[in-house]
Amino acid sequence: MKKLKTIFNILIFTYIFNIQTYAQNIECPSDLIHKQLLLSNSQYFSKNQLLESEIKRIINTSENKANNNIIYTIPVVVHVIHLGEPIGTGTNISNEQIIDAIAGLNNRWRNVNGNGIGVDVEIQFCLANRNPNGNPTTGINRVNASNIPNYAANGISLFYSNCNAPSEETIKDLSKWPVSDYYNIWVVNKICQNFGGFVGQASYPNGSPYDGTVINSWIMTSEMVLAHEVGHGFNLYHTFEGDGGNLFCPLNSPCNSNGDFVCDTPPHKQGDCDFSNPCSSVGVWSNSLNNYMSYCGQRDRFTQGQKDRIRATAIVYPRLSLLSSLGCSGLGINDNELDNFIIYPNPSKNIVIIELTNNIDIGKLQIFNPIGKKIFETDITNSTIEINISQFSKGIYILRFSDNERIISKKLIVD
């Protein structure tokens, strides 16, 4: 392990030393930051190992197939960290530009732009219409950061170097929503401009308060960069993962444990973007050449293997709770009546008690699992009901009460 850390530190030094020269060819440093965290943070490493183990288990079992054709919806909040310009100018980009960017993200993930090539990941993103307090929102927050030292000049820093810019935490603390219910996107002035700059950066799934995507204001458009970055956010690697910085062909055997951990994207070096793949004659070369997770020219697809990996990531920690988020009002909560519906104990692992108070009408109780499938339903004939949940898997569920006048929903955590 010590030898590996030494080698990796040398690679980081070389990467940073040369960054001024070739930064324009690098879209994001997400993989580099992820690798350094794996080596420097034992808790991060352990969580990632558990996540990878769960992903493999899901992909290799019927659980993955059972979830096919279910469209997951992910609430998104966009934090515009601007320089004080009027809305719609400079770094304070317009609502229309943000809406177009989310539409472009959805079009690529749902394969609307694929011309029949690639796959529909069957995940879509919605700008939140309910904030963490349950109040209406556009899903767009704006913060003037012109007073933050060096932000105007160099933007936001990277994990492994401050590059004479404010830290990631400093900027994200200006505006962030709970990662359990929202996927956070921070639109910033620049990303490490002192090192030549990057267009975007995304956290691999980790569940920290700073988990999400950072993207330059000028590239927060309907183009493909956002689709690429959010791919990292759902645990996709670059198709050239393992090339040592464009130095050698990545290992690919076994294909689910090397390279990008996906078997239908042939291994290649970052700069291999020609008609043939010098690293491999196996597989469909265009699946990597034209992949959203490559750096090559015309990109138009995710593959089935990437879809399987994304969707497996979506149904385990830390992305699982996003599927039961009420950020886009998917279950029609009436916030003014939440106090009429009490669940205890919560979390629980055996019995939960639901109490309907304030003389609301007798109605129907339903439970939805984390992927939105109804798994329990009963008519309520009195104001108190006990439910045995000992057979439920760990996770976050939605309890929904409805009568002739209202629908009231709350989260149930099975521990």
Side-chain angles (χ1 to χ4, degrees):
M1 178 62 75
K2 185 175 181 180
K3 184 177 180 181
L4 285 174
K5 286 185 178 180
T6 301
I7 293 172
F8 189 73
N9 287 335
I10 292 172
L11 287 174
I12 290 175
F13 175 80
T14 303
Y15 182 93
I16 295 173
F17 181 79
N18 290 305
I19 220 167
Q20 289 279 12
T21 304
Y22 63 85
Q24 290 182 351
N25 296 320
I26 299 174
E27 292 179 356
C28 72
S30 305
D31 53 352
L32 181 67
I33 295 170
H34 177 57
K35 289 171 190 173
Q36 188 175 12
L37 283 167
L38 288 173
L39 286 174
S40 64
N41 187 320
S42 59
Q43 186 177 20
Y44 184 94
F45 177 84
S46 297
K47 285 183 178 180
N48 184 74
Q49 290 291 99
L50 180 60
L51 174 59
E52 289 295 343
S53 175
E54 281 292 282
I55 288 172
K56 285 183 180 178
R57 180 189 65 79
I58 291 167
I59 289 175
N60 292 327
T61 63
S62 59
E63 185 174 348
N64 186 52
K65 293 184 178 131
N67 294 331
N68 283 343
N69 303 317
I70 298 173
I71 298 173
Y72 302 150
T73 299
I74 309 295
V76 168
V77 55
V78 176
H79 311 277
V80 181
I81 314 298
H82 59 85
L83 295 175
E85 307 99 326
I87 294 177
T89 60
T91 61
N92 198 3
I93 60 176
S94 67
N95 287 359
E96 290 74 17
Q97 181 177 335
I98 293 169
I99 292 169
D100 285 347
I102 300 302
L105 169 64
N106 281 326
N107 286 343
R108 286 166 177 80
W109 279 57
R110 296 303 311 276
N111 202 35
V112 174
N113 293 350
N115 298 318
I117 300 170
V119 300
D120 176 0
V121 178
E122 295 182 300
I123 289 182
Q124 59 195 23
F125 300 86
C126 59
L127 279 169
N129 55 27
R130 303 165 61 82
N131 70 15
N133 295 321
N135 298 318
T137 179
T138 62
I140 301 171
N141 286 338
R142 300 178 183 275
V143 178
N144 184 347
S146 59
N147 63 331
I148 304 295
N150 295 322
Y151 179 66
N154 293 322
I156 188 172
S157 73
L158 300 175
F159 168 78
Y160 57 84
S161 175
N162 62 22
C163 57
N164 199 31
S167 70
E168 173 186 12
E169 290 82 2
T170 296
I171 296 302
K172 290 182 176 180
D173 278 340
L174 297 173
S175 181
K176 64 181 188 290
W177 286 7
V179 297
S180 58
D181 291 303
Y182 304 91
Y183 188 79
N184 287 267
I185 298 174
W186 289 271
V187 177
V188 299
N189 172 37
K190 297 168 184 173
I191 302 174
C192 219
Q193 186 62 34
N194 197 42
F195 280 175
F198 300 92
V199 296
Q201 168 203 340
S203 311
Y204 283 75
N206 62 73
S208 83
Y210 306 102
D211 191 347
T213 287
V214 177
I215 190 168
N216 260 298
S217 58
W218 61 269
I219 203 67
M220 179 66 174
T221 66
S222 60
E223 298 304 316
M224 54 73 52
V225 171
L226 186 59
H228 174 106
E229 296 304 336
V230 178
H232 289 310
F234 279 78
N235 219 26
L236 289 188
Y237 288 86
H238 292 133
T239 54
F240 51 83
E241 173 66 26
D243 74 346
N246 206 38
L247 295 177
F248 44 78
C249 293
L251 295 175
N252 196 48
S253 182
C255 55
N256 66 347
S257 301
N258 286 285
D260 65 352
F261 293 2
V262 175
C263 291
D264 57 4
T265 52
H268 69 110
K269 299 193 297 296
Q270 175 184 322
D272 292 338
C273 295
D274 293 326
F275 293 107
S276 61
N277 182 7
C279 286
S280 176
S281 59
V282 178
V284 179
W285 171 221
S286 58
N287 277 351
S288 291
L289 177 69
N290 303 121
N291 198 285
Y292 291 129
M293 302 309 295
S294 79
Y295 280 179
C296 297
Q298 185 62 41
R299 286 172 272 184
D300 58 14
R301 74 191 71 180
F302 289 116
T303 67
Q304 182 63 48
Q306 289 173 314
K307 173 181 178 176
D308 291 343
R309 184 170 172 82
I310 289 172
R311 289 176 66 83
T313 299
I315 61 173
V316 294
Y317 175 87
R319 299 292 181 245
L320 169 64
S321 61
L322 292 173
L323 302 185
S324 56
S325 170
L326 304 177
C328 287
S329 299
L331 294 176
I333 276 187
N334 183 341
D335 283 321
N336 293 327
E337 309 206 2
L338 287 178
D339 290 340
N340 295 336
F341 184 12
I342 301 172
I343 308 169
Y344 63 91
N346 191 17
S348 179
K349 58 184 178 181
N350 293 311
I351 300 293
V352 293
I353 299 173
I354 295 93
E355 286 189 0
L356 307 178
T357 61
N358 296 338
N359 298 317
I360 66 175
D361 293 337
I362 302 304
K364 187 181 296 293
L365 186 74
Q366 300 170 315
I367 301 179
F368 296 82
N369 70 9
I371 60 174
K373 181 179 179 181
K374 183 172 66 177
I375 59 173
F376 177 87
E377 181 175 284
T378 186
D379 291 326
I380 298 178
T381 56
N382 56 63
S383 60
T384 302
I385 183 172
E386 291 188 5
I387 301 176
N388 187 335
I389 60 169
S390 60
Q391 300 303 310
F392 288 13
S393 300
K394 291 182 179 180
I396 299 177
Y397 296 75
I398 295 296
L399 271 169
R400 182 167 73 181
F401 167 81
S402 59
D403 61 13
N404 293 329
E405 298 181 359
R406 76 213 87 198
I407 297 174
I408 310 173
S409 299
K410 280 191 176 182
K411 286 186 179 181
L412 165 66
I413 301 174
V414 177
D415 192 357

